[in-house]
Amino acid sequence: MKKIVAYCLAMSLAWTAKAQLNTQQEIDYCANQALKTLQNLPPDGQVNIPRSIENGKKTWRLVDYKDWCSGFWSGTLWYLYEGTKKPVFKKQAQRFDKQLQPLSQQKAYDHDLGFQMFCSYGNGYRLASNAAYKKIILATADTLATLYNPKVGTILSWPREIARFKAHNTIIDNMINLELLFWAAKNGKNKNLYQIAEKHALTTMQNHFRDDYTSYHVVLYDTLTGKKIKGMTHQGYADNTMWARGQSWAIYGFTMCYRFTKNPQFLDFAQKVTDVYLKNLPDESLIPYWDFNTPEIPNTTRDASAAAVTASALLELSGYVKDAEKKKLYFKKAEKMLESLASSTYKSGTTNDAFLLHSTGNRPIQGEVDASIIYADYYYIEALLRYKYLTTRKK
Ligand code: GLY
């Protein structure tokens, strides 16, 4: 038995040791791009949070703190501080965090509070342990929990769409925002947040997936009885297709749920939603088209953001999976995804100041198609850091 354990350990070290990517070089590339962005942003007091750069344009589309993407920029700056240790990134992250603070106090507009406040303040607290940050995170978690419907067992993702759908709605993206609730339950007094997050994940696991483990984007529920009405899409090609980023939110979300709960159901489910994604990737680049089942393939756009989210998630998932072959597979796939993203095809370089090109935001309404998008950059730098830690940790 001891021999088998030693063999597995040796195998896993052998593949972690052979790092293909020059991770620090990639992190430094991202840092340089971000410094260029910082130089060109309008001053505070004006709308100045970068969200996306349309294909063929040079300048960022800017948003204010209310936008669902508002937290990715300071989150990215925090990761750059972590990756370079340069104080400028900490200072700038704190500068942009400040703008988001009202979100912790006002009524919840939608489920995106987690993206907005945990990518930013969550990373800020992790790296700088500022007590004021903790208070803000805990207050935001309580605000997000106000959208929970106990009859359904999920958070209402889009309160503004109640009138259109005449139903409680939950989107797969909402899985990511459970991290804020789990963290707040662990680090604050409101332990009920854990139950809410776990129940949301269990209900989603039950209702949000087809028999082959591909995800619906949106599920509608009867607000009063909690009964599922139907699954549908919003940003995918059709109700029954696999929208790439939606599936990547599922991979990331269930992996993160396992991190907090150690519930083996989540670990098992994270692998099932991963395996169908990996099996259906179009080619060796491992970068999906924006929807796996759009009939426009190959004459349509890819989604680098889905690849970045998935790469980051797989690096975490590979650390939880016990089966040595599967562990290796997930790590290798993540590594390959990062190599593709770090290639000249996907890196922005001198084309614009973002890190990556070729993400697709909302194809059905032609929004941010084949664009640079801030959440692709955020999950890319997160994945690079995760990869760096995994490939350089003490043997
Ligand atoms: N959460 C919205 C999106 O992934 O586009």
Side-chain angles (χ1 to χ4, degrees):
M1 182 65 186
K2 263 191 196 155
K3 266 192 191 156
I4 296 173
V5 173
Y7 173 76
C8 292
L9 195 66
M11 288 307 288
S12 77
L13 293 182
W15 56 263
T16 50
K18 269 197 270 140
Q20 300 291 306
L21 276 173
N22 184 337
T23 325
Q24 194 56 49
Q25 189 178 299
E26 292 312 313
I27 293 169
D28 291 342
Y29 155 78
C30 295
N32 282 335
Q33 295 293 95
L35 287 174
K36 287 193 270 170
T37 293
L38 281 167
Q39 267 174 7
N40 293 322
L41 291 178
D44 293 344
Q46 295 179 29
V47 173
N48 67 353
I49 303 173
R51 169 168 166 155
S52 57
I53 306 174
E54 291 294 347
N55 190 328
K57 298 223 170 108
K58 282 266 180 205
T59 52
W60 285 97
R61 173 187 160 208
L62 303 168
V63 293
D64 72 8
Y65 75 94
K66 294 191 269 332
D67 189 272
W68 85 270
C69 294
S70 61
F72 293 120
W73 173 236
S74 60
T76 299
L77 294 168
W78 279 116
Y79 276 137
L80 290 173
Y81 173 58
E82 185 175 5
T84 65
K85 307 284 180 274
K86 289 193 175 137
V88 60
F89 290 117
K90 177 177 178 183
K91 199 168 144 222
Q92 291 294 332
Q94 287 168 329
R95 170 185 163 208
F96 284 94
D97 283 343
K98 230 181 260 156
Q99 293 196 32
L100 310 176
Q101 198 170 334
L103 292 169
S104 67
Q105 284 134 17
Q106 58 202 34
K107 195 166 170 268
Y109 175 69
D110 66 24
H111 75 109
D112 287 321
L113 278 170
F115 284 116
Q116 292 164 307
M117 296 300 274
F118 205 67
C119 298
S120 52
Y121 281 85
N123 278 310
Y125 186 70
R126 184 174 62 80
L127 295 167
S129 301
N130 173 337
Y133 267 45
K134 181 171 177 181
K135 240 173 116 181
I136 287 167
I137 298 168
L138 296 179
T140 312
D142 289 340
T143 306
L144 178 57
T146 61
L147 297 179
Y148 181 69
N149 178 335
K151 267 284 176 214
V152 178
T154 68
I155 289 162
L156 170 64
S157 300
W158 291 330
R160 61 181 176 280
E161 299 292 1
I162 282 267
R164 173 156 70 110
F165 296 136
K166 310 223 172 348
H168 177 98
N169 57 76
T170 299
I171 66 171
I172 193 63
D173 327 29
N174 203 143
M175 284 297 299
I176 307 299
N177 297 317
L178 305 182
E179 187 171 2
L180 168 66
L181 301 183
F182 279 129
W183 188 93
K186 194 169 162 192
N187 294 280
K189 294 204 177 78
N190 187 354
K191 302 300 173 196
N192 193 32
L193 297 173
Y194 182 102
Q195 269 74 43
I196 292 176
E198 188 181 45
K199 181 69 183 162
H200 180 111
L202 290 168
T203 309
T204 300
M205 201 161 89
Q206 188 73 34
N207 295 321
H208 228 101
F209 293 85
R210 306 175 192 94
D211 292 346
D212 63 356
Y213 301 103
T214 60
S215 173
Y216 291 106
H217 186 186
V218 186
V219 171
L220 300 184
Y221 296 93
D222 185 297
T223 305
L224 300 178
T225 66
K227 208 166 157 284
K228 177 177 170 179
I229 300 169
K230 66 169 179 171
M232 55 186 282
T233 200
H234 176 68
Q235 279 158 259
Y237 175 77
D239 289 346
N240 60 353
T241 60
M242 177 162 56
W243 173 48
R245 198 167 51 260
Q247 195 72 17
S248 72
W249 292 140
I251 295 167
Y252 194 109
F254 285 101
T255 302
M256 175 274 298
C257 285
Y258 180 72
R259 182 201 318 154
F260 281 100
T261 63
K262 293 291 173 253
N263 179 342
Q265 274 181 286
F266 293 140
L267 181 57
D268 180 58
F269 203 73
Q271 292 174 73
K272 289 191 159 99
V273 297
T274 296
D275 293 344
V276 64
Y277 178 102
L278 294 179
K279 193 175 94 191
N280 288 292
L281 282 166
D283 52 41
E284 291 294 297
S285 74
L286 307 189
I287 312 290
Y289 289 96
W290 65 280
D291 188 299
F292 279 72
N293 308 107
T294 168
E296 298 146 349
I297 291 173
N299 300 315
T300 191
T301 52
R302 306 248 178 178
D303 184 12
S305 77
V309 172
T310 304
S312 187
L314 289 190
L315 290 172
E316 180 172 11
L317 185 57
S318 71
Y320 300 144
V321 170
K322 296 281 176 294
D323 179 88
E325 275 308 306
K326 211 143 191 220
K327 195 181 189 64
K328 180 175 166 182
L329 174 83
Y330 289 158
F331 181 88
K332 282 287 171 202
K333 293 286 182 190
E335 184 177 62
K336 178 65 207 159
M337 289 170 198
L338 286 179
E339 281 168 11
S340 292
L341 292 173
S343 72
S344 57
T345 307
Y346 283 94
K347 269 196 335 207
S348 296
T350 52
T351 302
N352 65 41
D353 296 345
F355 306 166
L356 297 175
L357 302 166
H358 307 311
S359 290
T360 299
N362 191 339
R363 178 100 202 184
I365 61 160
Q366 294 304 313
E368 294 169 327
V369 173
D370 202 20
S372 293
I373 310 184
I374 191 66
Y375 44 81
D377 289 5
Y378 174 86
Y379 287 100
Y380 181 56
I381 184 73
E382 179 182 272
L384 286 173
L385 285 167
R386 286 180 174 186
Y387 183 80
K388 182 176 155 187
Y389 295 138
L390 285 171
T391 51
T392 55
R393 75 181 162 206
K394 286 200 177 71
K395 310 278 180 337

